[in-house]
């Protein structure tokens, strides 16, 4: 009988080892399958998610309202504003004048230098001639006089402290509605000036309504609303872009009358003085406001850095609306402070307010003596 298939001792050992390896591999595979990942957390039920969303919606608005509601500010008192801001006048021509004037006996070259300094500072030709004539007369009368005192007196005469610089808007609490229209070319800061004037009036305990009649610049009404919200002053604005500015002005006047407000301030669109159509529209705004309350003030906003160009603007605006006062913005940090002397000399319209910084309360009533002293470094 053939018995060759029967394994020997060594073959039997190899067979047993191979069998154990196969059995071990099968066992490992089965064990791996048995190790399953831990079950994922079940998603929240629909009713739980709805409850969470509802809680968020109920809580969020209250927090959002607290953050969005602007705190009503208390504007700075008006009386001492110019005293705080006068160091910012920043003009240098007063110091230059004083340096020349201190040389004692002035030669013709010195007088020519004085004239050039005044003209470079935008004092204007007419005001320059007047000031130089005044200085020569004072030197002749007081040859040994204090140069600073003589120059101060001459400058103060040109600034003319006798002009009435108060706003003709009645007395606080008089029970009447007084209106003011603010005009000027593009970019001089009319809307900002209206907002700052509102703060001045609120500081005097007056009730104010603002009219956003600048309907050509989309952001103007939003900007004015921000200013109004900061001091609790209502703003009447157009419901659509490009609305008729005169109709907005009339609606604002009517709202001020209904609310028994004391002051209406109307912001107007910036317009070039050579655009007759826009200038005619300005006259229309003044007329429709007059149906409710004839404007007691028509304030022209001028950028102090524009110098003599401001005089041209003022003349043309004065032909359309009866200007009652000038608000000079950006007077801080400019060597063109002579425009104060020129605009009053040329137009007979007083500078009533000056902007001497970018802060909300950096608009101050113009103080002639303080201005001259600032020019001379006092």
């Amino acid at each position: 009988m053939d018995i060759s298939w029967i394994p020997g001792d060594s073959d039997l050992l190899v067979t047993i080892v191979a069998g154990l390896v196969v059995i071990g591999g099968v066992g490992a595979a089965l064990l791996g399958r048995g190790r399953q990942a831990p079950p994922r957390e079940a998603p929240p039920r629909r009713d739980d998610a709805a409850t969470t969303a509802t809680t968020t919606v109920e809580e969020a608005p209250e927090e959002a309202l607290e953050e969005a509601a602007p705190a009503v500010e208390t504007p700075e008192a008006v009386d001492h504003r110019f005293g705080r801001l006068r160091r910012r006048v920043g003009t240098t021509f007063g110091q230059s004048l004083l340096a020349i004037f201190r040389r004692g006996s002035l030669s013709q070259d010195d007088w020519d230098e004085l004239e050039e300094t005044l003209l470079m500072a935008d004092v204007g030709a007419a005001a320059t001639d007047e000031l130089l004539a005044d200085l020569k007369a004072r030197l002749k009368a007081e040859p040994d006089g204090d140069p600073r005192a003589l120059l101060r007196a001459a400058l103060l005469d040109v600034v003319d402290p006798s002009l009435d610089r108060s706003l003709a808007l009645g007395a606080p609490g008089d029970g009447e509605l007084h209106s003011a229209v603010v005009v000027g070319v593009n970019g001089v800061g009319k809307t900002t000036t209206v907002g700052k004037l509102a703060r001045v009036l609120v500081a005097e305990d007056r009730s104010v309504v603002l009219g956003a009649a600048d309907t050509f610049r989309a952001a103007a009404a939003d900007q004015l609303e921000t200013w109004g919200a900061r001091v609790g002053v209502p703003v009447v604005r157009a419901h659509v872009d490009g609305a008729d500015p005169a109709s907005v002005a009339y609606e604002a006047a009517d709202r001020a009358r209904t609310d028994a407000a004391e002051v209406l301030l109307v912001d107007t669109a910036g317009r070039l003085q050579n655009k007759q159509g826009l200038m005619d529209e300005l006259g229309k705004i003044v007329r429709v406001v007059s149906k409710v309350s004839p404007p007691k003030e028509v304030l022209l906003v001028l950028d102090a850095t524009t110098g003599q160009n401001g005089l041209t603007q003022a003349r043309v605006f004065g032909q359309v609306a009866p200007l009652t006062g000038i608000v000079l913005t950006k007077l801080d940090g400019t060597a063109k402070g002579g425009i104060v002397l020129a605009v009053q000399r040329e137009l007979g319209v007083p500078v009533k307010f000056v902007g001497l910084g970018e802060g909300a309360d950096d608009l101050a009533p113009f103080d002639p003596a303080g201005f001259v002293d600032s020019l001379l470094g006092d």
Side-chain angles (χ1 to χ4, degrees):
M1 182 172 63
D2 185 4
I3 59 172
S4 60
W5 59 273
I6 300 176
D9 292 341
S10 59
D11 293 334
L12 180 61
L13 180 61
V14 171
T15 302
I16 292 172
V17 171
L20 290 174
V21 170
V22 171
I23 293 171
V26 172
L30 292 174
L31 182 60
R33 288 183 181 180
R35 293 178 178 175
Q36 299 178 355
R40 295 180 180 177
E41 183 178 348
R45 293 180 302 171
R46 293 175 62 89
D47 54 349
D48 292 338
T51 301
T52 302
T54 301
T55 302
T56 303
V57 170
E58 290 177 353
E59 295 176 354
E62 183 177 353
E63 297 175 356
L65 286 174
E66 291 177 356
E67 295 176 358
V72 177
E73 302 172 3
T74 301
E76 178 186 352
V78 180
D79 293 343
H80 305 294
R81 286 192 184 191
F82 193 88
R84 172 174 64 84
L85 299 169
R86 54 181 283 183
R87 62 181 177 81
R88 300 185 187 177
V89 169
T91 58
T92 58
F93 85 93
Q95 295 287 347
S96 300
L97 290 178
L98 190 58
I100 299 170
F101 208 54
R102 277 175 168 166
R103 295 173 186 172
S105 179
L106 299 181
S107 66
Q108 185 57 46
D109 288 341
D110 292 328
W111 286 108
D112 290 343
E113 186 179 349
L114 276 171
E115 181 179 19
E116 182 180 357
T117 301
L118 291 168
L119 293 174
M120 289 292 291
D122 277 327
V123 174
T128 293
D129 290 343
E130 179 181 324
L131 182 57
L132 291 177
D134 190 7
L135 285 172
K136 289 178 179 179
R138 291 176 186 276
L139 277 176
K140 185 176 181 179
E142 299 181 59
D144 297 326
D146 177 20
R148 177 181 292 272
L150 294 176
L151 182 56
R152 182 183 186 278
L155 288 170
L156 198 56
D157 278 353
V158 178
V159 176
D160 195 354
S162 67
L163 292 174
D164 183 7
R165 302 176 192 277
S166 62
L167 290 176
L169 297 176
D174 65 2
E176 297 183 15
L177 173 61
H178 307 275
S179 64
V181 177
V182 181
V183 303
V185 300
N186 296 300
V188 296
K190 288 185 310 305
T191 301
T192 298
T193 297
V194 172
K196 291 183 177 183
L197 281 173
R199 296 179 67 90
V200 168
L201 295 168
V202 169
E204 295 176 342
D205 295 323
R206 300 175 188 257
S207 56
V208 182
V209 171
L210 301 179
D214 182 355
T215 60
F216 294 103
R217 188 166 62 92
D222 294 337
Q223 183 182 357
L224 200 60
E225 280 194 324
T226 299
W227 280 103
R230 292 174 66 178
V231 287
V233 170
V235 177
V236 176
R237 59 179 297 174
H239 303 295
V240 294
D241 292 338
D244 178 24
S247 66
V248 176
Y250 180 80
E251 184 180 348
D254 190 51
R255 166 70 181 275
R257 176 173 56 186
T258 301
D259 290 356
E262 295 176 279
V263 179
L264 166 69
L265 285 181
V266 180
D267 181 27
T268 63
R271 59 202 73 228
L272 297 175
Q273 67 270 20
N274 58 354
K275 299 295 184 182
Q276 190 58 46
L278 292 176
M279 297 301 289
D280 291 343
E281 183 183 83
L282 179 59
K284 182 180 177 183
I285 290 174
V286 173
R287 290 194 300 272
V288 298
V289 171
S290 297
K291 294 179 180 180
V292 178
S293 173
K296 301 292 181 62
E297 292 280 1
V298 178
L299 300 173
L300 176 64
V301 181
L302 292 178
D303 182 339
T305 63
T306 62
Q308 293 298 303
N309 288 334
L311 291 181
T312 303
Q313 297 167 15
R315 293 189 191 100
V316 177
F317 276 95
Q319 295 170 5
V320 178
L323 299 179
T324 59
I326 304 294
V327 180
L328 270 178
T329 63
K330 308 176 188 178
L331 187 60
D332 55 314
T334 172
K336 303 295 186 180
I339 189 63
V340 173
L341 311 180
V343 72
Q344 296 184 156
R345 172 64 176 74
E346 296 288 330
L347 302 172
V349 178
V351 173
K352 293 193 172 185
F353 281 83
V354 288
L356 293 167
E358 297 181 358
D361 292 323
D362 287 351
L363 184 75
F366 181 69
D367 177 4
F371 175 74
V372 171
D373 289 339
S374 296
L375 293 183
L376 299 177
D378 289 347

